[in-house]
Amino acid sequence: METKIFGCRRESLALAREYILKDDVVAFHTETVYGLGANAFSDEAVRKVFALKGRPADNPLIAHVHRDYDISRLIDREPPYAAALRRAFLPGPLTMVYPSAKRVSRYVSCGLDTLAIRVPSSPVAQAFLWEVDLPIAAPSANLSKHVSPVTAQHVYDDFHGKIPLILDGGPCAGGIESTVLDCTGEVPQILRAGLVTREMIAEIAGDCGIYAAKAGERPKSPGMAYKHYSPRCRTAYFQAEERAAAIGCYQDERAAGGEPIFLCESEICAALAPYRVLDLGETPEEMARRLYALLRNAERQATLLIAIEPKQKDGVMAGVLNRLHRAFGVIT
Ligand code: AMP
Ligand code: MG
């Protein structure tokens, strides 16, 4: 199968619709990362997404809808705080988990009685969702465990010959996956940190928790239990105050004939001038935007990628640190 990469034009949207109605899978740009989309009402189409990614069968997908789609068709009930959050943040990088009305394929939520819904703000995603006027079940468009894609080329690298079409919207401005928020309880709870932060949610909803799975309990967001976002090279991870040890690690790799590269924020990069570095940037937003492209870049060049943790920890950095820890296999 030839994999076409098309911009968002009338003909490519019509083609995308054709594929979706045939239960094929189409990759599309969003403001966070590229998605791998299928008709959420079709068992066959949704199962294709799992098969293509090699995704574990207990890691549910997010239903993406356009801004005027009536989500009351898909969910059982919505607490008042969730309606307020929708008005404040959607369309945008916030996924909301509701009690499901069980109208979409049971494979979307992997047997959970909840459904995750997202309204992306990317104009390409909106045009695609309008064209099909269906909920589109989509995870990130990467092979399971690999780094999430933030360009059409990244999607192509993982899926060429396996999907018919990628709707190209250029590089993703957000760069990390959406915040996933459980809206089934009295107080919203963050299941996955992202660009919509706990502080932003609490300002609208009055309060916002952060979910931590209890021992022995099935996690509410099963996807968060897996190692994720990993570059295909060896990795090492250091705190900012462990810089001397990180340099030792770099020098050992060089001495052994390897190709080490540092990954760190701009300020630390400047201090590591004689060494090979990949610069995450200065602000949390910049680090979110650059992270995945740098991880994919690193795996092509480095035998060992050495991260030094940025100093800032809260707000948007909570999401960036979560992805960094997962990519480097750091247990928190
Ligand atoms: P991805 O789009 O690849 O980032 O994966 C979707 C994320 O949303 C995963 O972390 C899932 O665990 C989470 N998710 C999807 N549906 C649900 C749900 N019904 N309840 C909790 N988390 C969900
Ligand atoms: Mg993913």
Side-chain angles (χ1 to χ4, degrees):
M1 175 191 295
E2 183 208 356
T3 301
K4 297 174 275 292
I5 304 182
F6 286 163
C8 186
R9 287 182 302 273
R10 177 151 297 288
E11 311 82 65
S12 44
L13 289 170
L15 194 58
R17 180 170 186 275
E18 233 175 80
Y19 287 129
I20 289 292
L21 296 182
K22 279 196 307 190
D23 285 342
D24 269 331
V25 168
V26 170
F28 61 104
H29 176 270
T30 85
E31 72 280 18
T32 58
V33 303
Y34 276 76
L36 192 64
N39 178 357
F41 290 126
S42 161
D43 287 348
E44 189 187 331
V46 174
R47 290 177 71 173
K48 263 188 202 168
V49 172
F50 282 87
L52 278 164
K53 279 186 62 105
R55 186 170 175 101
D58 65 349
N59 188 6
L61 310 184
I62 297 169
H64 293 65
V65 295
H66 63 70
R67 62 201 310 158
D68 293 321
Y69 194 88
D70 178 10
I71 64 162
S72 69
R73 289 192 255 173
L74 304 179
I75 65 175
D76 207 24
R77 73 198 129 80
E78 178 174 57
Y81 70 75
L85 290 170
R86 254 189 320 118
R87 285 192 292 275
F89 297 117
L90 301 191
L94 174 66
T95 295
M96 302 174 69
V97 175
Y98 292 98
S100 177
K102 307 227 165 137
R103 301 257 155 70
V104 298
S105 161
R106 65 199 159 101
Y107 294 107
V108 174
S109 290
C110 306
L112 296 171
D113 50 16
T114 52
L115 178 66
I117 296 186
R118 169 158 140 70
V119 186
S121 64
S122 149
V124 176
Q126 280 293 320
F128 168 54
L129 293 166
W130 263 106
E131 184 77 19
V132 294
D133 200 21
L134 288 166
I136 293 293
S140 51
N142 52 289
L143 290 168
S144 190
K145 298 191 177 66
H146 195 208
V147 179
S148 297
V150 290
T151 65
Q153 184 63 44
H154 293 158
V155 182
Y156 188 86
D157 291 341
D158 279 13
F159 292 111
H160 66 86
K162 306 224 167 75
I163 60 173
L165 176 63
I166 302 168
L167 286 175
D168 188 357
C172 302
I176 58 171
E177 299 81 353
S178 59
T179 304
V180 178
L181 188 70
D182 180 8
C183 298
T184 61
E186 302 223 322
V187 171
Q189 260 196 331
I190 291 184
L191 302 176
R192 176 175 75 187
L195 294 174
V196 177
T197 64
R198 178 191 203 174
E199 295 79 4
M200 290 159 71
I201 293 165
E203 202 172 309
I204 304 291
D207 199 358
C208 178
I210 294 184
Y211 177 74
K214 298 187 191 76
E217 183 185 273
R218 185 178 179 189
K220 275 198 174 172
S221 194
M224 297 309 284
Y226 299 112
K227 184 167 191 268
H228 253 124
Y229 322 123
S230 307
R232 291 172 176 153
C233 57
R234 283 179 296 114
T235 58
Y237 198 82
F238 293 91
Q239 297 300 321
E241 58 279 10
E242 298 172 317
R243 194 185 302 174
I247 291 172
C249 177
Y250 184 101
Q251 288 168 336
D252 288 348
E253 182 71 7
R254 285 295 291 161
E259 216 24 90
I261 306 185
F262 281 116
L263 177 71
C264 40
E265 62 190 321
S266 300
E267 194 190 321
I268 301 179
C269 280
L272 294 172
Y275 305 115
R276 285 189 76 186
V277 294
L278 292 172
D279 186 352
L280 273 169
E282 288 177 23
T283 64
E285 288 76 13
E286 201 172 21
M287 294 191 224
R289 188 164 59 246
R290 290 187 187 179
L291 176 63
Y292 288 145
L294 291 179
L295 291 177
R296 286 202 178 227
N297 179 337
E299 71 185 5
R300 289 198 305 271
Q301 308 177 45
T303 54
L304 176 65
L305 181 64
I306 307 170
I308 300 181
E309 181 160 306
K311 293 192 194 90
Q312 203 179 319
K313 313 286 177 200
D314 53 357
V316 167
M317 271 318 280
V320 176
L321 289 177
N322 168 275
R323 306 314 190 277
L324 255 185
H325 290 160
R326 283 164 180 281
F328 285 80
V330 176
I331 313 290
T332 51

